[in-house]
Amino acid sequence: MIANTLTVILILAGLVFFAAGTAGLLRFPDVYSRLHALTKADNVGLGLVILGLMLQAGGPADILKLFLIWVLVLAAGTTAAHMVAQRTWTHGEFESDR
Amino acid sequence: MTRVAKHRDATSRAGLNRARARWRRAAWTVLAAAVLWWILAGLDALLEPLALLAVLLAGAASLVLPSGRPLGVRIRAIPGLIGYFLRASFLGGIDIARRALDPKLPIAPDFIEYRADLPHGPPLTLFMAVLSLLPGTLSVRLEGRLLTVHVLDRHGQPEVALRELERRIHAAFEDPRRRKEGGT
């Protein structure tokens, strides 16, 4: 019961961060600022969702699997953000092509 | 003991150390592969012959392949680094969520340059990866050791956070430049 309540709270909190990250993606003025919003907000959002799901996990293997997912998404997210930023630096903003 | 014999003794001891390090690495690889298989497929699947074969082959591969440069991680500094990362990246998420949802959109983006004193390789890569998750900083470009960092709020003090992160990563890795000069 307590675990279920905590799960709901943590996942809802995580979704707030996902929504905020998307809001930043839409509202921020340039590529770099949008990357800030995506990487940082999604990292915390996914972290909270994963914490909530860990409370429902069937055993240590499931908990570790969820943790592994978070770590891999984190590594992929920050690497992708850096690559997009670097490409924007060398080639200019995509929107200025129009 | 003649000088030649002493020399030969020293080289054989170094070779023995290297062989021992190689076997230790293989044992760690076997353990990591087994744990990974267990996490992804469960305990029953790990005890299948094919899984055991794959795990043992992973260990054998690490014996056969060249070992590369040792990473030189200081285990004692790792928990502090992880704790700092969790705290700082959580604050980074809160900070960006607040700015993105604020009707006034309080950002003042700018670029700064930061000269990192970390050795190339894993320490510098980790520094660039983690700083993108800290509040308000994003790594854009690396030239030599000169980093171009995008900051979301130029009125803040991003250098302070970057220096703190750099200090912690410095503490977590042995610096090969310094080891060569005759440290530990």
Side-chain angles (χ1 to χ4, degrees):
Chain A
M1 178 63 197
I2 295 172
N4 285 349
T5 315
L6 265 178
T7 297
V8 171
I9 292 172
L10 283 169
I11 290 183
L12 283 178
L15 293 183
V16 169
F17 277 98
F18 274 116
T22 311
L25 182 70
L26 295 171
R27 295 184 69 209
F28 283 164
D30 58 295
V31 173
Y32 303 107
S33 307
R34 288 176 179 157
L35 285 173
H36 280 275
L38 268 192
T39 45
K40 296 190 233 304
D42 284 10
N43 159 33
V44 176
L46 182 67
L48 289 171
V49 169
I50 290 235
L51 268 183
L53 291 177
M54 277 177 175
L55 296 171
Q56 306 292 324
D62 282 351
I63 291 177
L64 287 174
K65 194 191 283 184
L66 287 166
F67 178 71
L68 201 64
I69 290 172
W70 183 62
V71 171
L72 289 175
V73 170
L74 213 64
T78 181
T79 310
H82 167 64
M83 290 174 84
V84 173
Q86 195 177 37
R87 143 91 211 195
T88 309
W89 178 270
T90 50
H91 288 73
E93 296 231 358
F94 303 97
E95 287 158 12
S96 64
D97 294 346
R98 274 188 237 146
Chain B
M1 204 185 283
T2 64
R3 194 177 298 164
V4 176
K6 216 180 258 177
H7 178 70
R8 201 181 298 142
D9 193 41
T11 28
S12 77
R13 204 176 311 137
L16 199 69
N17 275 345
R18 216 169 310 139
R20 206 177 291 155
R22 191 164 271 248
W23 278 101
R24 202 181 303 135
R25 194 165 66 101
W28 279 111
T29 307
V30 165
L31 187 69
V35 168
L36 206 57
W37 203 291
W38 168 61
I39 289 174
L40 294 177
L43 196 59
D44 293 340
L46 176 61
L47 300 176
E48 294 279 325
L50 194 66
L52 293 176
L53 182 69
V55 165
L56 287 177
L57 280 178
S62 83
L63 275 181
V64 173
L65 293 172
S67 62
R69 203 181 302 157
L71 203 54
V73 178
R74 294 205 189 93
I75 301 290
R76 253 182 303 166
I78 296 295
L81 183 62
I82 291 176
Y84 171 77
F85 167 72
L86 288 178
R87 200 175 63 237
S89 68
F90 187 65
L91 291 178
I94 289 179
D95 176 66
I96 198 76
R98 188 179 58 75
R99 288 176 198 273
L101 295 175
D102 192 316
K104 289 198 292 267
L105 210 63
I107 60 171
D110 202 358
F111 295 96
I112 61 165
E113 300 211 312
Y114 183 84
R115 191 170 290 281
D117 188 36
L118 292 164
H120 279 275
L124 196 56
T125 307
L126 185 67
F127 179 70
M128 291 181 69
V130 172
L131 87 83
S132 290
L133 294 167
L134 296 189
T137 49
L138 175 77
S139 61
V140 175
R141 187 174 159 83
L142 178 73
E143 293 163 283
R145 285 206 176 75
L146 190 66
L147 263 167
T148 305
V149 179
H150 184 260
V151 293
L152 209 49
D153 186 355
R154 75 176 87 94
H155 310 300
Q157 288 179 314
E159 288 94 351
V160 177
L162 294 186
R163 210 160 298 133
E164 164 81 3
L165 174 65
E166 186 178 354
R167 190 182 62 74
R168 285 181 181 272
I169 290 182
H170 225 291
F173 288 94
E174 280 165 22
D175 193 331
R177 291 172 295 176
R178 236 149 265 172
R179 195 165 39 192
K180 226 174 272 171
E181 286 159 21
T184 42

